[in-house]
Amino acid sequence: MKKISISNELIYVLAVIVLSFATAMLAAADLGMSMVVAPAYIVSLKVKALTFGQAEYIVQGMLFILFCVLMKKVRRLYFFSFVSGLIYGAVLDFWRMVIPHFDPERFAPGSLPLSIRIVYFVVGFLLNSLGVALYFKTYFYPQVYEFFVKGISRQFKIALPKFKIRFDMTCLVIAIVLSFSLFYGLVGIGAGTVVLAFGNGALIGFYGQWMDRHLDTWDRWERLSERFENGFSLK
């Protein structure tokens, strides 16, 4: 079977669109967000002046500062991971503004019929894993969340899967503390959070294998690609 030719730059654009759309859909479903984005989501629910995307800017910005402190160095290309977060947050807010069911001002979390919420969760779950898998296929740095896990696990020679689990659990604990502190109960965390925690990895792996078999990826900007690949060297 002939492979589909697609540039890594286009894959990055698709990753932003798909992952932000999936996050907006999961928020509309209100059955539980992923552990990673739950802290920002909870903050956005409490602080009405902040959109979900803007809360992401704050959380990812703080995580990026921690990343630089732990790495004990700052490289200009590292900032692209934060830029990825800014782009993602802006597109996330766009989806929540233009699609009525995704707009919390029109439909408060949990107000949609349960049947619709379940459909939104299932589709959002499938697209969420696809979006992450797309990020991993391109040379552009992903959002700070994934960039932090990749960089710190390398720096301290911790197996990536083990560190990813620790990172996710830390995000979950932070989300639970925020939820009880701000709302005196669980908000943004639910059965869907558990499904995402246990199912995301397998789905991301499945999508990655499918893309390896069916996509022929190439760099439109080869020199830029080399800079990004060399820029993450920890030597």
Side-chain angles (χ1 to χ4, degrees), residues 12-31:
Y12 176 80
V13 173
L14 291 174
V16 173
I17 293 173
V18 171
L19 187 58
S20 60
F21 185 84
T23 303
M25 184 171 280
L26 289 172
D30 193 42
L31 293 174

Side-chain angles (χ1 to χ4, degrees), residues 41-180:
Y41 179 65
I42 293 168
V43 169
S44 72
L45 291 177
K46 184 63 177 181
V47 184
K48 299 301 182 182
L50 290 177
T51 65
F52 191 177
Q54 290 167 346
E56 283 278 21
Y57 302 161
I58 296 173
V59 173
Q60 292 197 43
M62 295 172 63
L63 187 61
F64 182 75
I65 293 173
L66 178 61
F67 173 83
C68 293
V69 170
L70 293 175
M71 294 292 284
K72 297 181 180 179
K73 58 185 172 183
V74 180
R75 293 180 175 175
R76 286 180 297 177
L77 279 179
Y78 287 175
F79 285 92
F80 191 86
S81 66
F82 184 63
V83 172
S84 284
L86 294 177
I87 297 171
Y88 159 82
V91 180
L92 169 60
D93 285 343
F94 170 78
W95 292 128
R96 301 189 88 202
M97 179 178 63
V98 300
I99 299 179
H101 276 186
F102 294 1
D103 186 349
E105 296 297 325
R106 302 185 195 182
F107 295 91
S111 63
L112 293 171
L114 182 59
S115 58
I116 294 178
R117 292 168 61 199
I118 292 174
V119 171
Y120 280 177
F121 176 80
V122 172
V123 177
F125 170 43
L126 296 174
L127 291 178
N128 182 78
S129 302
L130 176 59
V132 175
L134 287 167
Y135 266 119
F136 287 153
K137 288 294 291 182
T138 182
Y139 60 82
F140 286 117
Y141 296 159
Q143 299 176 63
V144 180
Y145 299 128
E146 290 82 8
F147 192 72
F148 182 92
V149 171
K150 181 178 180 180
I152 300 303
S153 63
R154 279 191 185 184
Q155 178 75 354
F156 294 96
K157 297 179 173 57
I158 305 172
L160 182 61
K162 290 183 179 180
F163 187 73
K164 173 62 175 172
I165 292 173
R166 295 175 188 175
F167 178 79
D168 287 351
M169 290 300 106
T170 301
C171 290
L172 178 60
V173 170
I174 293 172
I176 292 173
V177 171
L178 281 172
S179 182
F180 276 98

